[in-house]
Coordinates of all heavy atoms in Angstrom, one line a residue:
I12 N 13.3 2.9 -21.4 CA 13.4 2.8 -20.0 C 12.1 3.4 -19.4 O 11.7 4.5 -19.9 CB 14.6 3.5 -19.4 CG1 15.9 2.9 -19.9 CG2 14.6 3.6 -17.9 CD1 17.2 3.6 -19.6
G13 N 11.6 2.8 -18.4 CA 10.4 3.3 -17.7 C 10.7 3.3 -16.2 O 11.6 2.6 -15.7
V14 N 10.0 4.1 -15.5 CA 10.1 4.2 -14.0 C 8.7 4.0 -13.4 O 7.7 4.5 -13.9 CB 10.7 5.6 -13.6 CG1 10.8 5.7 -12.1 CG2 12.1 5.7 -14.2
V15 N 8.7 3.3 -12.3 CA 7.5 3.0 -11.5 C 7.7 3.3 -10.1 O 8.8 3.0 -9.6 CB 7.0 1.5 -11.8 CG1 5.8 1.2 -10.9 CG2 6.7 1.3 -13.2
D16 N 6.8 3.8 -9.4 CA 6.9 4.0 -7.9 C 5.9 3.0 -7.2 O 4.7 3.2 -7.1 CB 6.5 5.4 -7.6 CG 6.7 5.8 -6.1 OD1 6.9 4.9 -5.3 OD2 6.6 7.0 -5.8
T17 N 6.5 1.9 -6.7 CA 5.7 0.9 -6.1 C 5.1 1.3 -4.8 O 4.0 0.9 -4.5 CB 6.4 -0.5 -6.0 OG1 7.6 -0.2 -5.2 CG2 6.8 -1.1 -7.3
N18 N 5.7 2.1 -4.1 CA 5.2 2.6 -2.8 C 3.9 3.4 -3.1 O 2.9 3.3 -2.4 CB 6.2 3.5 -2.0 CG 7.2 2.6 -1.4 OD1 7.1 1.4 -1.2 ND2 8.3 3.2 -1.0
Y19 N 3.9 4.3 -4.1 CA 2.8 5.1 -4.5 C 1.6 4.1 -4.9 O 0.5 4.3 -4.4 CB 3.1 6.0 -5.6 CG 2.0 6.8 -6.2 CD1 1.5 7.9 -5.5 CD2 1.3 6.4 -7.3 CE1 0.4 8.6 -6.1 CE2 0.2 7.1 -7.8 CZ -0.2 8.2 -7.2 OH -1.3 8.9 -7.7
I20 N 1.9 3.1 -5.6 CA 0.9 2.2 -6.1 C 0.3 1.5 -4.8 O -0.9 1.3 -4.7 CB 1.5 1.1 -7.0 CG1 1.9 1.8 -8.4 CG2 0.5 0.0 -7.3 CD1 2.7 1.0 -9.3
L21 N 1.1 1.0 -3.9 CA 0.6 0.3 -2.7 C -0.3 1.2 -1.9 O -1.3 0.8 -1.4 CB 1.8 -0.2 -1.9 CG 2.5 -1.4 -2.4 CD1 3.8 -1.7 -1.6 CD2 1.7 -2.6 -2.5
E22 N 0.1 2.5 -1.8 CA -0.7 3.4 -1.0 C -2.1 3.6 -1.6 O -3.0 3.9 -0.9 CB 0.0 4.8 -0.9 CG 1.2 4.7 0.0 CD 2.0 6.0 -0.1 OE1 1.6 7.0 -0.7 OE2 3.2 6.0 0.5
K23 N -2.2 3.4 -2.9 CA -3.5 3.6 -3.6 C -4.4 2.4 -3.6 O -5.5 2.5 -4.0 CB -3.2 4.0 -5.1 CG -2.5 5.4 -5.2 CD -3.4 6.5 -4.7 CE -2.8 7.8 -4.9 NZ -3.6 8.9 -4.3
L24 N -3.9 1.3 -3.1 CA -4.6 0.0 -3.1 C -5.3 -0.1 -1.7 O -4.7 -0.2 -0.7 CB -3.8 -1.2 -3.3 CG -3.1 -1.3 -4.7 CD1 -2.2 -2.5 -4.7 CD2 -4.1 -1.3 -5.8
P25 N -6.7 0.0 -1.7 CA -7.4 0.0 -0.4 C -7.1 -1.3 0.4 O -7.1 -1.3 1.6 CB -8.9 0.1 -0.8 CG -8.9 0.2 -2.3 CD -7.6 0.2 -2.8
Q26 N -7.0 -2.4 -0.3 CA -6.8 -3.7 0.4 C -5.4 -3.7 1.1 O -5.3 -4.2 2.2 CB -6.8 -4.9 -0.6 CG -8.0 -5.0 -1.4 CD -7.9 -4.3 -2.7 OE1 -7.1 -3.4 -2.9 NE2 -8.6 -4.8 -3.7
Y27 N -4.4 -3.1 0.5 CA -3.1 -3.0 1.1 C -3.2 -2.1 2.4 O -2.6 -2.4 3.4 CB -2.1 -2.5 0.1 CG -0.7 -2.4 0.7 CD1 0.1 -3.5 0.9 CD2 -0.2 -1.1 1.2 CE1 1.4 -3.4 1.5 CE2 1.1 -1.1 1.7 CZ 1.8 -2.2 1.9 OH 3.1 -2.1 2.4
R28 N -3.9 -0.9 2.2 CA -4.0 0.0 3.4 C -4.7 -0.7 4.5 O -4.3 -0.6 5.7 CB -4.7 1.2 3.0 CG -3.9 2.2 2.1 CD -4.5 3.5 1.9 NE -5.9 3.6 1.7 CZ -6.4 3.7 0.5 NH1 -5.7 3.8 -0.6 NH2 -7.8 3.7 0.3
E29 N -5.7 -1.5 4.2 CA -6.5 -2.2 5.3 C -5.6 -3.3 5.9 O -5.6 -3.4 7.2 CB -7.7 -2.9 4.7 CG -8.5 -3.7 5.7 CD -9.1 -2.8 6.8 OE1 -9.4 -1.6 6.6 OE2 -9.1 -3.3 7.9
A30 N -4.8 -4.0 5.1 CA -3.9 -5.0 5.7 C -2.8 -4.3 6.6 O -2.4 -4.8 7.6 CB -3.2 -5.8 4.6
E31 N -2.3 -3.1 6.1 CA -1.3 -2.4 6.9 C -2.0 -2.0 8.3 O -1.3 -2.0 9.3 CB -0.9 -1.1 6.2 CG 0.2 -1.4 5.2 CD 1.6 -1.7 5.8 OE1 1.9 -1.0 6.9 OE2 2.3 -2.5 5.3
K32 N -3.2 -1.6 8.3 CA -3.9 -1.2 9.5 C -4.0 -2.4 10.5 O -3.8 -2.3 11.7 CB -5.3 -0.7 9.2 CG -5.3 0.7 8.7 CD -6.8 1.2 8.4 CE -6.8 2.5 7.6 NZ -8.2 2.8 7.3
R33 N -4.3 -3.6 9.9 CA -4.4 -4.8 10.8 C -3.0 -5.1 11.3 O -2.9 -5.5 12.5 CB -4.9 -6.0 9.9 CG -6.4 -5.9 9.7 CD -7.0 -7.2 9.1 NE -6.2 -7.8 8.1 CZ -6.4 -7.7 6.8 NH1 -7.3 -6.8 6.3 NH2 -5.6 -8.3 5.9
L34 N -2.0 -5.0 10.5 CA -0.6 -5.2 11.0 C -0.3 -4.2 12.1 O 0.3 -4.6 13.1 CB 0.4 -5.2 9.9 CG 1.8 -5.4 10.2 CD1 2.0 -6.8 10.8 CD2 2.7 -5.2 9.0
A35 N -0.6 -3.0 11.9 CA -0.3 -1.9 12.9 C -1.0 -2.2 14.2 O -0.4 -2.0 15.3 CB -0.6 -0.5 12.3
A36 N -2.2 -2.7 14.1 CA -3.0 -3.0 15.3 C -2.3 -4.1 16.1 O -2.2 -4.1 17.3 CB -4.4 -3.3 14.9
Q37 N -1.9 -5.2 15.3 CA -1.2 -6.3 16.0 C 0.1 -5.9 16.6 O 0.4 -6.2 17.8 CB -0.9 -7.4 14.9 CG -0.3 -8.6 15.5 CD -1.1 -9.3 16.6 OE1 -2.2 -9.7 16.3 NE2 -0.6 -9.4 17.8

């Protein structure tokens, strides 16, 4: 069994953070 934290992974991806900023602006 393994465990992964996808929210942590997403936070570490700069493209995702940029896309989140664009969504927040909209």
